[in-house]
């Protein structure tokens, strides 16, 4: 939420300043032109990636806790194995992909993970041929390695349908969905209110339940 708020702030400022340009004279017959909105959009993009990284890290943890609270995993060995499992397995432990809404979110989030998160953490070498950005006189240009018989071997552009605003809205919608239905009571325990006011710490010291 912290990074999402920063994304919203930078995106809003960029939209408000999209027509603004700043000219700086560098000599009698030379100058540079700066567009603040461009830098603000780039900064917002970095915050969006931080939101996505945080979301998948957070859900890896939360799915395990929900599975425990729903008694789907009741032994230490089972929880240990689930903690070692991949994100898809943890999702299925907390939600039911036989439920259409759960399955729809599962598919959409997997696409985000494939297109964005895995692409970034693998050094910008994506699973669909996304390669890297090379620098030209026009600036950084995204290059995609294509695998098309008889067609072009390389393409320019991100090569994905990823959009910051739509993706972050999907994550927000999913969190609201996560805390609905049979999972709604779990939010009270996962937020760990007692940890915030010190009661868990006292219980650990005194050996008494909070």
């Amino acid at each position: 939420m912290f990074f999402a708020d920063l994304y919203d702030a930078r995106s809003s400022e960029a939209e408000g300043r999209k027509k603004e340009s700043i000219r700086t004279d560098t000599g009698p017959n030379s100058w540079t032109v700066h567009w603040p909105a461009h830098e603000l959009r780039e900064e917002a993009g970095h915050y969006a990636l931080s939101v996505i990284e945080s979301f998948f890290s957070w859900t890896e943890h939360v799915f395990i806790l929900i599975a425990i609270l729903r008694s789907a995993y009741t032994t230490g060995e089972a929880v240990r194995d689930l903690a070692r499992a991949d994100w898809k397995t943890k999702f299925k432990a907390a939600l039911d992909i036989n439920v259409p809404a759960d399955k729809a979110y599962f598919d959409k989030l997997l696409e985000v993970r494939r297109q964005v998160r895995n692409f970034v953490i693998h050094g910008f070498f994506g699973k669909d041929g996304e390669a890297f950005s090379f620098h030209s006189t026009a600036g950084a240009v995204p290059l995609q390695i294509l695998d098309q018989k008889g067609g072009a071997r390389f393409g320019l552009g991100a090569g994905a349908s990823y959009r910051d605003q739509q993706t972050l809205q999907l994550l927000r919608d999913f969190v609201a969905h996560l805390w609905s239905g049979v999972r709604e009571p779990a939010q009270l325990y996962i937020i760990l209110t007692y940890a915030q006011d010190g009661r868990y710490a006292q219980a650990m010291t005194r050996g008494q339940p909070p």
Side-chain angles (χ1 to χ4, degrees):
M1 292 177 66
F2 172 76
F3 288 124
D5 288 343
L6 289 172
Y7 168 83
D8 289 340
R10 296 300 186 276
S11 296
S12 178
E13 186 178 356
E15 181 63 23
R17 301 178 68 180
K18 63 183 179 181
K19 296 182 179 180
E20 178 184 347
S21 62
I22 299 174
R23 171 171 165 162
T24 302
D25 292 330
T26 57
N29 299 304
S30 62
W31 62 87
T32 61
V33 180
H34 169 63
W35 288 270
H38 175 71
E39 291 184 359
L40 287 165
R41 289 193 185 95
E42 282 195 337
E43 191 173 344
H46 291 305
Y47 285 130
L49 288 175
S50 297
V51 173
I52 295 168
E53 281 292 312
S54 300
F55 170 84
F56 281 103
S57 296
W58 177 73
T59 50
E60 290 253 4
H61 179 69
V62 168
F63 290 159
I64 297 172
L65 297 179
I66 292 176
I68 295 171
L69 290 170
R70 296 188 62 194
S71 297
Y73 289 74
T74 57
T75 67
E77 290 81 3
V79 172
R80 177 200 61 197
D81 292 341
L82 180 60
R84 293 173 176 173
D86 59 16
W87 184 87
K88 293 184 290 186
T89 301
K90 292 171 185 173
F91 183 104
K92 295 173 184 177
L95 294 93
D96 184 358
I97 62 171
N98 292 314
V99 175
D102 292 359
K103 181 62 164 62
Y105 276 114
F106 178 73
D107 292 339
K108 291 176 183 178
L109 292 173
L110 273 184
E111 187 66 10
V112 171
R113 188 176 177 88
R114 183 187 68 82
Q115 287 187 343
V116 183
R117 186 171 189 262
N118 289 340
F119 179 57
V120 173
I121 66 175
H122 289 146
F124 287 89
F125 281 84
K127 295 182 182 298
D128 286 336
E130 304 93 344
F132 45 78
S133 295
F134 69 89
H135 286 268
S136 69
T137 55
V141 181
L143 174 69
Q144 183 180 24
I145 301 174
L146 304 177
D147 184 17
Q148 298 178 358
K149 293 181 179 180
R153 294 182 60 189
F154 300 97
L156 302 180
S161 59
Y162 165 67
R163 296 291 183 273
D164 289 343
Q165 191 171 14
Q166 291 91 326
T167 299
L168 266 59
Q169 187 58 51
L170 170 65
L171 304 190
R172 291 185 176 105
D173 291 344
F174 173 75
V175 171
H177 175 73
L178 183 66
W179 301 135
S180 65
V182 296
R183 296 174 302 276
E184 184 176 0
Q187 185 178 14
L188 299 174
Y189 298 95
I190 291 176
I191 289 177
L192 299 181
T193 305
Y194 290 165
Q196 295 175 355
D197 66 12
R199 274 186 274 181
Y200 280 138
Q202 293 174 13
M204 291 295 291
T205 301
R206 300 174 185 173
Q208 297 293 327

